Amino acid sequence: MKLKEFAKQVGLSPTTVSRALSGYPEVSETTRARVAEAAVRLGYSPNVNAVRLKTGRAGAIGVVMGRAGEFHFAEFMAGMAERLVAEEADILVIPMADPNHEDEMQLYRRLVESRRVDAIIVHSPKPNDERIALLHELGMPFLVHGRSAIDVPHAWLDIDNEAAIQRATSHLIDLGHRRIAMINGRPGATYALHRETGFRRALQIHGIEPDPQLMASGNFTDELGFRFARSFLEQPNPPTAFVAGSMMTALGVYRAARSLGLQIGRDVSVIAHDDVFPYLTADNMVPSLSATRSSMRAAGTRCADLVLQLLSGRSPLEIHELWPVELILRESTGPARQSTS
Amino acid sequence: MKLKEFAKQVGLSPTTVSRALSGYPEVSETTRARVAEAAVRLGYSPNVNAVRLKTGRAGAIGVVMGRAGEFHFAEFMAGMAERLVAEEADILVIPMADPNHEDEMQLYRRLVESRRVDAIIVHSPKPNDERIALLHELGMPFLVHGRSAIDVPHAWLDIDNEAAIQRATSHLIDLGHRRIAMINGRPGATYALHRETGFRRALQIHGIEPDPQLMASGNFTDELGFRFARSFLEQPNPPTAFVAGSMMTALGVYRAARSLGLQIGRDVSVIAHDDVFPYLTADNMVPSLSATRSSMRAAGTRCADLVLQLLSGRSPLEIHELWPVELILRESTGPARQSTS
DNA sequence: ACAAATAACCAAACCGTTTTCAATTTTAGA
DNA sequence: TCTAAAATTGAAAACGGTTTGGTTATTTGT
């Protein structure tokens, strides 16, 4: 049913009906009620595409999905969904064909040109992230999930990775660990750098020299967790503790330790970062996993909220949120055993 | 830049330009080339909302995301993305606020009415799935990922869960296992029923009576895998083998077995269904996990493809794909040990 | 060389809303 | 009671494309 037809049914002009439904003030309360009732009864709802054309709003916020198909993604989006379900806004997932840099910039450029989204959420930025510069230049509202050092005004939400990992590492040191390995995330991303900084700082405060042989980085997969942990543990002077970048990495570390007959929490300590997944909980691992913890889902919800604020005119410069991260100690961390050294 | 303006620049009418860009036949090849070149040079691209309004096409296919934030989801979408990146089609993720039944139907109804999507992909259908009936009734093109017994014509793509699990179970039986436990997926979903059927059939063929005490179902989480496996293993007459519904479930089973000092592949055998995740691979588990294997990502790609076919007029009745499932044997399955029986 | 067919292009109508601007009715003020 | 102001309502012009139904060149057939 079209507006024109519907308006005729109600006995009003399209103008008034449109206003009544959009909540404009210049329509009497009685008429509004009548229109609202009729809309429900006759099942009228405005054609989205017409509205979008006229208003210029896309009614959707975009999220670019890399090929990696990261498992964080679903949780983040579920979080966004929680906030957006009440709004008229959709989540538009933009497939990225190729991790090729040139193509990626083109993708963002086309996305902006095509006006399919009102705003974009940028994930895992690098310290000097060209996407941010581009979006700023193109005048597209956007929110960065993570942080970038780039000198361009932008809204962001991030968790305090540095403090989290520093605290986790310090805790391991307090337990007597001196050789601590770190399995970090994708090199290049700011969060990975922050974590490394936190790690190094903790060591430095306690006068421990970081050992490059005990630091690795890569995607958050069980395989890499296993491989790195295993190779570290097979070194002549193995680590007694691990700081792992994700739950998947931690799984790999657990397996590596076990495969060498080491008991976690006694022979080797492990702390991982937990983004809180409903399907894989640190508390239920055996032994339960000590973790720096911050809900990916909550971040998604808040990011959606902030994007909406951005769209209703709030300045990006005012939108900077740094979330603290909990450290939850469980069984996977224990005092360092007498080492061979 | 608008069409009118752009057309003027090129020295043609909007009509011709529009046709040239859309590949209509009644425009000369030289003109088309000229227009295409100018479009790139001047950075013209049609306003999506105008196109959508005029053509009536939304240019997006919808996927309803439940609150569970399932980890399969990201992989499936990544797969869709692979196919859709070449098209003009977007993926619209529709957040579902509430698992409440009434609300869910309302959500689908509103989604259809709002014309935001050209087609919908329905996940994890039940044998008698009202969403399918509703979408059919409303005349919205849709594809079911999974299967339903409902008596309404519809397109679907599914993997052969029944055959897969039957084969897996048979293999365990061939290895001498007689007490086999099954940890299935969400009760109610067709795939879970199919798996149960496959499981029962394998037992039946070999004259084994299924033991309800060894069958459980629930979400695909590590926690449930652990809890069920553990409780089964603590029974007086424990199972010697497990059929697990997912990788996460398998993780739980592994932990349960280990926590009881049982060695997987020797004391207890495990086969799980593997949807092929880049971040958690069966091959890298310790011991490596035997699995029925079918790529979620490939399914996503193919579903996207089939939806596009649906939209270009192919009949839903012709679109039924049942994918065979590989069985890959690794270290987690071995001969049944002499049991106490 | 001329009619008919074909190729290439264009003007204008239309998609279904929102919104500007003007018209009408109601209320308030004197 | 009459006028000015305020409250409601409507007509019509966008929004930016696509597509119908011509119109004008260009071939083709004889």
Side-chain angles (χ1 to χ4, degrees):
Chain A
M1 158 128 42
K2 313 180 188 188
L3 172 59
K4 211 168 162 182
E5 190 184 340
F6 174 62
K8 190 165 292 177
Q9 296 264 342
V10 192
L12 286 168
S13 74
T15 310
T16 308
V17 169
S18 171
R19 280 177 176 145
L21 292 175
S22 311
Y24 276 56
E26 61 263 75
V27 58
S28 80
E29 210 40 63
T30 52
T31 341
R32 184 192 311 291
R34 187 154 58 96
V35 172
E37 179 275 328
V40 172
R41 183 164 43 82
L42 301 175
Y44 168 77
S45 67
N47 179 306
V48 171
N49 292 323
V51 173
R52 289 179 177 172
L53 170 58
K54 183 57 197 182
T55 62
R57 269 172 257 131
I61 85 175
V63 187
V64 175
M65 183 173 64
R67 281 287 284 279
E70 319 231 325
F71 53 94
H72 306 97
F73 208 72
E75 271 298 288
F76 185 84
M77 287 210 322
M80 286 181 66
E82 272 179 38
R83 176 66 181 84
L84 294 179
V85 76
E87 307 290 320
E88 81 275 24
D90 294 322
I91 302 172
L92 198 67
V93 175
I94 295 103
M96 188 164 78
D98 214 306
N100 176 308
H101 173 74
E102 197 64 29
D103 284 1
E104 186 174 3
M105 293 317 254
Q106 265 305 314
L107 177 76
Y108 278 88
R109 202 177 276 278
R110 274 208 308 274
L111 177 57
V112 171
E113 269 167 11
S114 74
R115 301 183 199 75
R116 279 174 303 171
V117 295
D118 294 320
I120 295 178
I121 293 184
V122 172
H123 283 277
S124 302
K126 288 174 287 184
N128 187 343
D129 202 297
E130 291 185 49
R131 295 173 297 175
I132 296 176
L134 178 67
L135 290 174
H136 174 73
E137 178 196 329
L138 295 175
M140 162 68 63
F142 66 100
L143 174 89
V144 177
H145 179 216
R147 249 177 303 169
S148 173
I150 200 167
D151 189 23
V152 157
H154 63 276
W156 56 263
L157 179 151
D158 195 9
I159 60 174
D160 196 344
N161 282 298
E162 183 178 331
I165 299 302
Q166 178 176 340
R167 195 153 143 237
T169 310
S170 292
H171 180 255
L172 290 171
I173 296 172
D174 290 345
L175 284 170
H177 296 277
R178 290 298 173 269
R179 287 193 60 71
I180 305 176
M182 174 168 209
I183 304 180
N184 207 337
R186 276 218 313 281
T190 310
Y191 75 84
L193 295 173
H194 282 164
R195 289 180 183 184
E196 184 173 334
T197 305
F199 180 69
R200 286 180 183 277
R201 181 155 301 163
L203 294 183
Q204 191 197 338
I205 287 173
H206 296 83
I208 303 172
E209 190 67 26
D211 182 351
Q213 302 281 356
L214 295 183
M215 298 173 68
S217 55
N219 285 339
F220 290 145
T221 67
D222 67 318
E223 179 173 357
L224 257 67
F226 177 79
R227 289 230 295 250
F228 285 138
R230 177 110 189 182
S231 82
F232 290 164
L233 288 170
E234 283 171 336
Q235 288 180 14
N237 192 4
T240 62
F242 282 85
V243 176
S246 78
M247 293 293 286
M248 294 301 163
T249 314
L251 285 178
V253 174
Y254 267 47
R255 279 205 296 279
R258 273 206 203 92
S259 72
L260 294 171
L262 299 171
Q263 187 179 322
I264 285 168
R266 198 193 59 182
D267 305 320
V268 172
S269 286
V270 180
I271 298 188
H273 180 72
D274 179 9
D275 285 307
V276 191
F277 304 110
Y279 45 83
L280 184 60
T281 57
D283 206 28
N284 287 306
M285 290 176 65
V286 181
S288 60
L289 173 69
S290 296
T292 54
R293 174 188 155 108
S294 182
S295 162
M296 200 57 156
R297 183 177 286 242
T301 305
R302 183 61 178 161
C303 280
D305 195 34
L306 291 174
V307 164
L308 292 174
Q309 293 186 20
L310 211 52
L311 288 176
S312 57
R314 190 169 170 202
S315 161
L317 290 166
E318 292 175 13
I319 301 182
H320 304 314
E321 290 197 4
L322 185 61
W323 286 13
V325 177
E326 305 177 82
L327 173 61
I328 299 180
L329 298 176
R330 299 196 184 87
E331 299 163 357
S332 69
T333 40
R337 306 203 80 184
Q338 286 305 90
S339 97
T340 53
S341 63
Chain B
M1 158 125 44
K2 314 178 187 190
L3 171 59
K4 212 168 162 183
E5 190 185 340
F6 174 62
K8 191 165 292 176
Q9 297 264 342
V10 191
L12 286 168
S13 75
T15 311
T16 309
V17 170
S18 171
R19 281 179 174 144
L21 292 175
S22 312
Y24 276 55
E26 59 263 76
V27 60
S28 81
E29 211 39 66
T30 53
T31 336
R32 184 193 312 290
R34 187 155 58 96
V35 172
E37 179 275 327
V40 172
R41 183 165 43 81
L42 301 175
Y44 168 77
S45 66
N47 179 306
V48 172
N49 292 323
V51 174
R52 289 178 178 173
L53 170 59
K54 182 58 195 180
T55 61
R57 271 172 255 129
I61 85 173
V63 187
V64 175
M65 182 172 64
R67 282 285 285 277
E70 319 233 325
F71 53 94
H72 305 97
F73 207 73
E75 270 299 287
F76 185 85
M77 288 209 321
M80 286 180 66
E82 272 179 37
R83 175 66 180 84
L84 294 180
V85 76
E87 307 291 320
E88 82 275 24
D90 295 322
I91 303 172
L92 197 67
V93 175
I94 296 103
M96 189 164 79
D98 215 307
N100 176 309
H101 173 74
E102 197 63 29
D103 285 0
E104 186 173 3
M105 293 318 253
Q106 264 305 314
L107 176 76
Y108 277 87
R109 201 177 278 277
R110 274 207 308 273
L111 178 58
V112 171
E113 269 167 14
S114 74
R115 300 183 200 76
R116 281 174 301 171
V117 295
D118 294 320
I120 295 178
I121 294 185
V122 172
H123 283 278
S124 302
K126 287 173 288 183
N128 186 344
D129 202 297
E130 291 185 49
R131 296 172 297 175
I132 296 177
L134 178 67
L135 290 174
H136 174 72
E137 178 195 328
L138 295 176
M140 161 67 63
F142 65 100
L143 173 87
V144 177
H145 179 217
R147 248 176 304 169
S148 173
I150 200 167
D151 188 22
V152 156
H154 62 276
W156 55 263
L157 180 151
D158 196 9
I159 60 174
D160 196 344
N161 282 297
E162 183 178 331
I165 298 303
Q166 178 176 341
R167 195 151 143 239
T169 309
S170 292
H171 180 256
L172 290 171
I173 297 172
D174 291 344
L175 283 170
H177 296 276
R178 289 299 173 269
R179 287 193 59 73
I180 305 175
M182 172 168 210
I183 305 181
N184 207 339
R186 273 218 314 282
T190 310
Y191 75 85
L193 294 173
H194 283 164
R195 289 181 182 182
E196 183 173 335
T197 306
F199 179 70
R200 286 179 183 278
R201 181 156 300 163
L203 295 183
Q204 190 197 339
I205 287 173
H206 296 83
I208 303 172
E209 190 66 25
D211 182 352
Q213 301 282 356
L214 295 182
M215 298 174 67
S217 55
N219 284 337
F220 289 145
T221 66
D222 67 318
E223 180 174 357
L224 256 64
F226 177 79
R227 288 230 295 249
F228 285 139
R230 175 109 191 185
S231 82
F232 290 164
L233 289 170
E234 282 171 337
Q235 288 181 14
N237 193 2
T240 63
F242 282 86
V243 177
S246 78
M247 294 293 285
M248 293 301 164
T249 315
L251 285 178
V253 174
Y254 266 48
R255 278 205 296 281
R258 273 207 202 90
S259 72
L260 294 170
L262 300 170
Q263 188 179 323
I264 285 168
R266 198 193 59 182
D267 304 321
V268 171
S269 286
V270 180
I271 296 187
H273 181 71
D274 179 8
D275 285 308
V276 191
F277 304 109
Y279 46 84
L280 184 60
T281 58
D283 207 27
N284 287 306
M285 289 175 66
V286 180
S288 61
L289 173 69
S290 296
T292 54
R293 174 187 154 109
S294 182
S295 163
M296 200 58 153
R297 183 176 288 243
T301 305
R302 183 61 178 159
C303 280
D305 196 35
L306 291 174
V307 164
L308 292 173
Q309 293 186 20
L310 211 52
L311 288 176
S312 57
R314 190 168 171 206
S315 160
L317 290 165
E318 292 175 12
I319 300 182
H320 303 314
E321 291 198 3
L322 185 60
W323 286 14
V325 177
E326 305 177 82
L327 173 62
I328 299 180
L329 298 175
R330 299 196 184 87
E331 300 163 355
S332 69
T333 39
R337 307 204 80 187
Q338 286 305 91
S339 97
T340 53
S341 64

